[in-house]
Amino acid sequence: YLISEGCFAASVTSGIKALEIIDCTPDLDLIIMNVFIEDMISYDLCKAIRERKNLYELPILMLSSSISSQVLDLIFEVGGNDFLAKPVDKTSLLVRIKTLLQLRHYAVETSKLHSQISSSEKRVAVLTEDIIKAKEIDKLKTEFFSNISHELKTPLNVIWASVQLLKNIFSEIPPAVIDINSYLNSMNQNCLMLLRLISNLIEIIKID
Protein backbone atom coordinates (compact mmCIF):
# COMPACT_ATOMS: atom_id res chain seq x y z
CA TYR A 1 0.00 0.00 0.00
CA LEU A 2 2.60 2.55 1.07
CA ILE A 3 5.12 1.93 -1.69
CA SER A 4 2.36 2.22 -4.30
CA GLU A 5 1.54 5.65 -2.83
CA GLY A 6 5.13 6.84 -3.27
CA CYS A 7 6.20 6.34 0.35
CA PHE A 8 9.48 4.86 1.48
CA ALA A 9 8.88 1.97 3.88
CA ALA A 10 11.19 -0.35 5.77
CA SER A 11 9.83 -3.64 7.09
CA VAL A 12 11.26 -5.58 10.04
CA THR A 13 9.99 -8.53 12.05
CA SER A 14 12.18 -7.95 15.09
CA GLY A 15 11.59 -5.42 17.84
CA ILE A 16 15.32 -5.12 18.46
CA LYS A 17 15.90 -4.41 14.77
CA ALA A 18 13.14 -1.82 14.85
CA LEU A 19 14.86 0.01 17.72
CA GLU A 20 18.18 -0.09 15.84
CA ILE A 21 16.53 1.53 12.82
CA ILE A 22 14.90 4.19 15.01
CA ASP A 23 18.23 5.00 16.67
CA CYS A 24 20.00 5.24 13.30
CA THR A 25 17.25 7.10 11.42
CA PRO A 26 16.31 10.36 13.17
CA ASP A 27 14.01 11.55 10.38
CA LEU A 28 11.46 8.71 10.57
CA ASP A 29 7.90 10.00 10.10
CA LEU A 30 5.76 7.13 11.32
CA ILE A 31 5.81 3.61 12.75
CA ILE A 32 3.17 1.02 11.92
CA MET A 33 3.38 -1.80 14.42
CA ASN A 34 1.64 -5.15 14.76
CA VAL A 35 0.51 -5.84 18.29
CA PHE A 36 2.09 -9.29 18.07
CA ILE A 37 5.77 -9.47 17.05
CA GLU A 38 8.27 -12.30 17.29
CA ASP A 39 10.94 -11.37 19.82
CA MET A 40 9.34 -8.64 21.94
CA ILE A 41 5.93 -7.75 23.33
CA SER A 42 4.72 -4.85 21.21
CA TYR A 43 3.72 -2.88 24.28
CA ASP A 44 7.29 -3.06 25.58
CA LEU A 45 8.56 -1.99 22.18
CA CYS A 46 6.16 0.94 22.19
CA LYS A 47 7.40 2.01 25.64
CA ALA A 48 11.00 1.74 24.43
CA ILE A 49 10.19 3.95 21.45
CA ARG A 50 8.52 6.51 23.71
CA GLU A 51 11.70 6.71 25.75
CA ARG A 52 13.35 7.94 22.57
CA LYS A 53 10.59 9.93 20.85
CA ASN A 54 7.41 11.51 22.15
CA LEU A 55 3.90 11.14 20.69
CA TYR A 56 4.38 13.94 18.19
CA GLU A 57 7.97 13.36 17.19
CA LEU A 58 7.27 9.80 16.03
CA PRO A 59 3.63 8.68 15.78
CA ILE A 60 2.83 4.97 16.23
CA LEU A 61 -0.08 3.29 14.48
CA MET A 62 -0.77 -0.13 15.98
CA LEU A 63 -2.52 -2.98 14.15
CA SER A 64 -4.55 -5.54 16.07
CA SER A 65 -7.03 -8.25 15.25
CA SER A 66 -8.65 -7.53 18.62
CA ILE A 67 -10.35 -4.24 19.25
CA SER A 68 -11.51 -4.89 22.78
CA SER A 69 -11.56 -1.96 25.20
CA GLN A 70 -8.77 -3.59 27.20
CA VAL A 71 -6.48 -3.79 24.18
CA LEU A 72 -7.30 -0.22 23.15
CA ASP A 73 -6.65 1.12 26.63
CA LEU A 74 -3.29 -0.63 26.72
CA ILE A 75 -2.34 0.68 23.25
CA PHE A 76 -2.87 4.29 24.33
CA GLU A 77 -1.34 3.69 27.77
CA VAL A 78 2.00 2.58 26.32
CA GLY A 79 2.17 5.51 23.89
CA GLY A 80 0.35 4.46 20.74
CA ASN A 81 -1.21 7.30 18.75
CA ASP A 82 -3.86 5.33 16.93
CA PHE A 83 -4.97 1.80 16.09
CA LEU A 84 -6.46 -0.06 13.17
CA ALA A 85 -8.25 -3.40 13.15
CA LYS A 86 -6.96 -6.26 11.03
CA PRO A 87 -7.48 -7.17 8.28
CA VAL A 88 -6.40 -3.73 7.17
CA ASP A 89 -8.44 -1.79 4.65
CA LYS A 90 -6.26 0.25 2.29
CA THR A 91 -8.43 3.36 2.41
CA SER A 92 -8.62 3.34 6.21
CA LEU A 93 -4.88 2.76 6.49
CA LEU A 94 -4.00 5.66 4.19
CA VAL A 95 -6.45 7.98 5.96
CA ARG A 96 -4.97 7.14 9.37
CA ILE A 97 -1.43 7.58 8.05
CA LYS A 98 -2.27 10.93 6.47
CA THR A 99 -3.87 12.16 9.70
CA LEU A 100 -0.93 11.11 11.87
CA LEU A 101 1.59 12.67 9.48
CA GLN A 102 -0.37 15.93 9.45
CA LEU A 103 -0.44 15.97 13.24
CA ARG A 104 3.30 15.33 13.32
CA HIS A 105 3.88 18.15 10.83
CA TYR A 106 1.78 20.57 12.89
CA ALA A 107 3.57 19.50 16.07
CA VAL A 108 6.99 20.05 14.45
CA GLU A 109 5.96 23.47 13.13
CA THR A 110 4.51 24.41 16.51
CA SER A 111 7.73 23.36 18.21
CA LYS A 112 9.74 25.49 15.78
CA LEU A 113 7.39 28.41 16.41
CA HIS A 114 7.78 28.04 20.17
CA SER A 115 11.56 27.97 19.74
CA GLN A 116 11.43 31.14 17.64
CA ILE A 117 9.16 32.83 20.18
CA SER A 118 11.47 31.79 23.01
CA SER A 119 14.47 33.09 21.10
CA SER A 120 12.65 36.36 20.34
CA GLU A 121 11.65 36.75 23.98
CA LYS A 122 15.28 36.31 25.02
CA ARG A 123 16.39 38.94 22.48
CA VAL A 124 13.66 41.31 23.68
CA ALA A 125 14.77 40.75 27.28
CA VAL A 126 18.37 41.56 26.35
CA LEU A 127 17.30 44.67 24.41
CA THR A 128 15.08 45.78 27.29
CA GLU A 129 17.97 45.36 29.69
CA ASP A 130 20.22 47.36 27.35
CA ILE A 131 17.59 50.13 27.11
CA ILE A 132 17.28 50.28 30.90
CA LYS A 133 21.06 50.48 31.24
CA ALA A 134 21.22 53.17 28.54
CA LYS A 135 18.55 55.21 30.35
CA GLU A 136 20.44 54.87 33.63
CA ILE A 137 23.67 55.98 31.94
CA ASP A 138 21.84 58.89 30.26
CA LYS A 139 20.38 59.90 33.62
CA LEU A 140 23.81 59.84 35.24
CA LYS A 141 25.25 61.81 32.34
CA THR A 142 22.49 64.44 32.63
CA GLU A 143 22.98 64.74 36.38
CA PHE A 144 26.75 65.00 35.91
CA PHE A 145 26.59 67.78 33.32
CA SER A 146 23.89 69.57 35.28
CA ASN A 147 26.03 69.54 38.42
CA ILE A 148 29.13 70.59 36.52
CA SER A 149 27.23 73.45 34.85
CA HIS A 150 25.92 74.79 38.13
CA GLU A 151 29.28 74.34 39.85
CA LEU A 152 31.00 76.33 37.07
CA LYS A 153 28.34 79.00 36.77
CA THR A 154 28.42 79.97 40.46
CA PRO A 155 32.13 80.93 40.69
CA LEU A 156 32.02 82.53 37.22
CA ASN A 157 29.18 84.77 38.33
CA VAL A 158 31.28 85.79 41.35
CA ILE A 159 34.30 86.51 39.11
CA TRP A 160 32.18 88.45 36.63
CA ALA A 161 30.62 90.52 39.43
CA SER A 162 34.11 91.26 40.83
CA VAL A 163 35.27 92.36 37.39
CA GLN A 164 32.31 94.76 37.12
CA LEU A 165 33.19 96.19 40.53
CA LEU A 166 36.85 96.65 39.56
CA LYS A 167 35.87 98.31 36.29
CA ASN A 168 33.73 100.82 38.16
CA ILE A 169 36.57 101.53 40.59
CA PHE A 170 39.31 101.93 37.96
CA SER A 171 37.12 103.96 35.64
CA GLU A 172 37.45 106.88 38.08
CA ILE A 173 41.25 106.61 38.30
CA PRO A 174 43.52 108.09 35.57
CA PRO A 175 45.25 105.50 33.35
CA ALA A 176 48.49 104.22 34.81
CA VAL A 177 51.51 102.89 33.00
CA ILE A 178 49.68 99.57 32.59
CA ASP A 179 46.17 99.86 31.13
CA ILE A 180 44.23 97.88 33.73
CA ASN A 181 40.91 98.52 31.97
CA SER A 182 42.00 96.53 28.92
CA TYR A 183 42.68 93.53 31.14
CA LEU A 184 39.40 93.98 32.92
CA ASN A 185 37.54 94.19 29.59
CA SER A 186 39.23 90.99 28.44
CA MET A 187 38.30 89.24 31.68
CA ASN A 188 34.76 90.53 31.35
CA GLN A 189 34.34 89.25 27.79
CA ASN A 190 35.71 85.80 28.65
CA CYS A 191 33.47 85.53 31.68
CA LEU A 192 30.44 86.40 29.55
CA MET A 193 31.49 83.85 26.93
CA LEU A 194 31.82 81.07 29.53
CA LEU A 195 28.50 82.05 31.10
CA ARG A 196 26.79 81.81 27.69
CA LEU A 197 28.35 78.38 27.05
CA ILE A 198 27.20 77.11 30.43
CA SER A 199 23.69 78.51 29.90
CA ASN A 200 23.50 76.78 26.52
CA LEU A 201 24.67 73.52 28.10
CA ILE A 202 21.96 73.77 30.75
CA GLU A 203 19.32 74.36 28.09
CA ILE A 204 20.50 71.33 26.11
CA ILE A 205 20.30 69.17 29.25
CA LYS A 206 16.73 70.37 29.82
CA ILE A 207 15.76 69.40 26.25
CA ASP A 208 17.22 65.87 26.69
Side-chain angles (χ1 to χ4, degrees), residues 112-125:
K112 289 180 180 178
L113 183 59
H114 280 305
S115 296
Q116 292 173 356
I117 292 173
S118 178
S119 177
S120 298
E121 288 176 345
K122 290 179 181 178
R123 288 198 296 269
V124 170

PDB file of all heavy atoms in Angstrom, residues 112-125:
ATOM      1  N   LYS A 112       8.841  24.488  16.376  1.00  0.00           N
ATOM      2  CA  LYS A 112       9.740  25.491  15.785  1.00  0.00           C
ATOM      3  C   LYS A 112       9.273  26.899  16.143  1.00  0.00           C
ATOM      4  O   LYS A 112      10.089  27.773  16.467  1.00  0.00           O
ATOM      5  CB  LYS A 112       9.778  25.328  14.258  1.00  0.00           C
ATOM      6  CG  LYS A 112      10.502  24.085  13.776  1.00  0.00           C
ATOM      7  CD  LYS A 112      10.491  24.021  12.260  1.00  0.00           C
ATOM      8  CE  LYS A 112      11.196  22.783  11.746  1.00  0.00           C
ATOM      9  NZ  LYS A 112      11.151  22.700  10.260  1.00  0.00           N
ATOM     10  N   LEU A 113       7.949  27.095  16.083  1.00  0.00           N
ATOM     11  CA  LEU A 113       7.394  28.411  16.409  1.00  0.00           C
ATOM     12  C   LEU A 113       7.671  28.775  17.863  1.00  0.00           C
ATOM     13  O   LEU A 113       8.050  29.910  18.175  1.00  0.00           O
ATOM     14  CB  LEU A 113       5.888  28.424  16.140  1.00  0.00           C
ATOM     15  CG  LEU A 113       5.156  29.750  16.372  1.00  0.00           C
ATOM     16  CD1 LEU A 113       5.740  30.846  15.497  1.00  0.00           C
ATOM     17  CD2 LEU A 113       3.663  29.592  16.101  1.00  0.00           C
ATOM     18  N   HIS A 114       7.507  27.789  18.756  1.00  0.00           N
ATOM     19  CA  HIS A 114       7.785  28.035  20.168  1.00  0.00           C
ATOM     20  C   HIS A 114       9.259  28.375  20.380  1.00  0.00           C
ATOM     21  O   HIS A 114       9.593  29.252  21.190  1.00  0.00           O
ATOM     22  CB  HIS A 114       7.421  26.808  21.009  1.00  0.00           C
ATOM     23  CG  HIS A 114       5.960  26.690  21.303  1.00  0.00           C
ATOM     24  ND1 HIS A 114       5.239  27.701  21.895  1.00  0.00           N
ATOM     25  CD2 HIS A 114       5.072  25.687  21.084  1.00  0.00           C
ATOM     26  CE1 HIS A 114       3.976  27.323  22.045  1.00  0.00           C
ATOM     27  NE2 HIS A 114       3.846  26.107  21.549  1.00  0.00           N
ATOM     28  N   SER A 115      10.123  27.698  19.628  1.00  0.00           N
ATOM     29  CA  SER A 115      11.558  27.975  19.744  1.00  0.00           C
ATOM     30  C   SER A 115      11.867  29.387  19.272  1.00  0.00           C
ATOM     31  O   SER A 115      12.658  30.111  19.888  1.00  0.00           O
ATOM     32  CB  SER A 115      12.361  26.961  18.920  1.00  0.00           C
ATOM     33  OG  SER A 115      12.191  25.655  19.421  1.00  0.00           O
ATOM     34  N   GLN A 116      11.231  29.786  18.167  1.00  0.00           N
ATOM     35  CA  GLN A 116      11.431  31.135  17.642  1.00  0.00           C
ATOM     36  C   GLN A 116      10.909  32.181  18.616  1.00  0.00           C
ATOM     37  O   GLN A 116      11.545  33.216  18.841  1.00  0.00           O
ATOM     38  CB  GLN A 116      10.731  31.281  16.286  1.00  0.00           C
ATOM     39  CG  GLN A 116      11.366  30.456  15.181  1.00  0.00           C
ATOM     40  CD  GLN A 116      10.554  30.489  13.894  1.00  0.00           C
ATOM     41  OE1 GLN A 116       9.479  31.070  13.831  1.00  0.00           O
ATOM     42  NE2 GLN A 116      11.063  29.850  12.859  1.00  0.00           N
ATOM     43  N   ILE A 117       9.736  31.900  19.206  1.00  0.00           N
ATOM     44  CA  ILE A 117       9.160  32.831  20.178  1.00  0.00           C
ATOM     45  C   ILE A 117      10.073  32.949  21.392  1.00  0.00           C
ATOM     46  O   ILE A 117      10.327  34.050  21.895  1.00  0.00           O
ATOM     47  CB  ILE A 117       7.756  32.362  20.602  1.00  0.00           C
ATOM     48  CG1 ILE A 117       6.776  32.493  19.428  1.00  0.00           C
ATOM     49  CG2 ILE A 117       7.255  33.175  21.801  1.00  0.00           C
ATOM     50  CD1 ILE A 117       5.411  31.908  19.706  1.00  0.00           C
ATOM     51  N   SER A 118      10.565  31.794  21.857  1.00  0.00           N
ATOM     52  CA  SER A 118      11.469  31.794  23.011  1.00  0.00           C
ATOM     53  C   SER A 118      12.737  32.583  22.710  1.00  0.00           C
ATOM     54  O   SER A 118      13.208  33.372  23.539  1.00  0.00           O
ATOM     55  CB  SER A 118      11.822  30.351  23.389  1.00  0.00           C
ATOM     56  OG  SER A 118      12.731  30.318  24.456  1.00  0.00           O
ATOM     57  N   SER A 119      13.268  32.374  21.494  1.00  0.00           N
ATOM     58  CA  SER A 119      14.470  33.094  21.099  1.00  0.00           C
ATOM     59  C   SER A 119      14.199  34.597  21.004  1.00  0.00           C
ATOM     60  O   SER A 119      15.020  35.417  21.442  1.00  0.00           O
ATOM     61  CB  SER A 119      14.970  32.564  19.751  1.00  0.00           C
ATOM     62  OG  SER A 119      16.100  33.275  19.306  1.00  0.00           O
ATOM     63  N   SER A 120      13.016  34.945  20.450  1.00  0.00           N
ATOM     64  CA  SER A 120      12.648  36.360  20.341  1.00  0.00           C
ATOM     65  C   SER A 120      12.470  36.994  21.713  1.00  0.00           C
ATOM     66  O   SER A 120      12.875  38.131  21.942  1.00  0.00           O
ATOM     67  CB  SER A 120      11.352  36.502  19.525  1.00  0.00           C
ATOM     68  OG  SER A 120      11.522  36.023  18.210  1.00  0.00           O
ATOM     69  N   GLU A 121      11.855  36.239  22.626  1.00  0.00           N
ATOM     70  CA  GLU A 121      11.652  36.748  23.983  1.00  0.00           C
ATOM     71  C   GLU A 121      12.990  37.010  24.673  1.00  0.00           C
ATOM     72  O   GLU A 121      13.142  37.993  25.400  1.00  0.00           O
ATOM     73  CB  GLU A 121      10.824  35.759  24.799  1.00  0.00           C
ATOM     74  CG  GLU A 121       9.354  35.706  24.395  1.00  0.00           C
ATOM     75  CD  GLU A 121       8.581  34.646  25.154  1.00  0.00           C
ATOM     76  OE1 GLU A 121       9.230  33.766  25.768  1.00  0.00           O
ATOM     77  OE2 GLU A 121       7.329  34.686  25.131  1.00  0.00           O
ATOM     78  N   LYS A 122      13.953  36.122  24.428  1.00  0.00           N
ATOM     79  CA  LYS A 122      15.281  36.314  25.019  1.00  0.00           C
ATOM     80  C   LYS A 122      15.946  37.562  24.442  1.00  0.00           C
ATOM     81  O   LYS A 122      16.566  38.343  25.173  1.00  0.00           O
ATOM     82  CB  LYS A 122      16.158  35.079  24.760  1.00  0.00           C
ATOM     83  CG  LYS A 122      15.729  33.845  25.554  1.00  0.00           C
ATOM     84  CD  LYS A 122      16.616  32.656  25.245  1.00  0.00           C
ATOM     85  CE  LYS A 122      16.169  31.422  26.023  1.00  0.00           C
ATOM     86  NZ  LYS A 122      16.985  30.235  25.699  1.00  0.00           N
ATOM     87  N   ARG A 123      15.798  37.745  23.098  1.00  0.00           N
ATOM     88  CA  ARG A 123      16.388  38.938  22.479  1.00  0.00           C
ATOM     89  C   ARG A 123      15.724  40.208  22.994  1.00  0.00           C
ATOM     90  O   ARG A 123      16.390  41.215  23.248  1.00  0.00           O
ATOM     91  CB  ARG A 123      16.255  38.848  20.957  1.00  0.00           C
ATOM     92  CG  ARG A 123      17.177  37.811  20.313  1.00  0.00           C
ATOM     93  CD  ARG A 123      17.324  38.050  18.829  1.00  0.00           C
ATOM     94  NE  ARG A 123      16.081  37.877  18.122  1.00  0.00           N
ATOM     95  CZ  ARG A 123      15.668  36.731  17.592  1.00  0.00           C
ATOM     96  NH1 ARG A 123      16.430  35.657  17.703  1.00  0.00           N
ATOM     97  NH2 ARG A 123      14.529  36.651  16.944  1.00  0.00           N
ATOM     98  N   VAL A 124      14.385  40.148  23.150  1.00  0.00           N
ATOM     99  CA  VAL A 124      13.657  41.307  23.683  1.00  0.00           C
ATOM    100  C   VAL A 124      14.112  41.618  25.103  1.00  0.00           C
ATOM    101  O   VAL A 124      14.285  42.787  25.470  1.00  0.00           O
ATOM    102  CB  VAL A 124      12.129  41.047  23.649  1.00  0.00           C
ATOM    103  CG1 VAL A 124      11.382  42.128  24.424  1.00  0.00           C
ATOM    104  CG2 VAL A 124      11.618  41.006  22.214  1.00  0.00           C
ATOM    105  N   ALA A 125      14.315  40.555  25.897  1.00  0.00           N
ATOM    106  CA  ALA A 125      14.766  40.748  27.279  1.00  0.00           C
ATOM    107  C   ALA A 125      16.144  41.414  27.311  1.00  0.00           C
ATOM    108  O   ALA A 125      16.388  42.320  28.118  1.00  0.00           O
ATOM    109  CB  ALA A 125      14.806  39.406  28.005  1.00  0.00           C
TER     110      ALA A 125
END
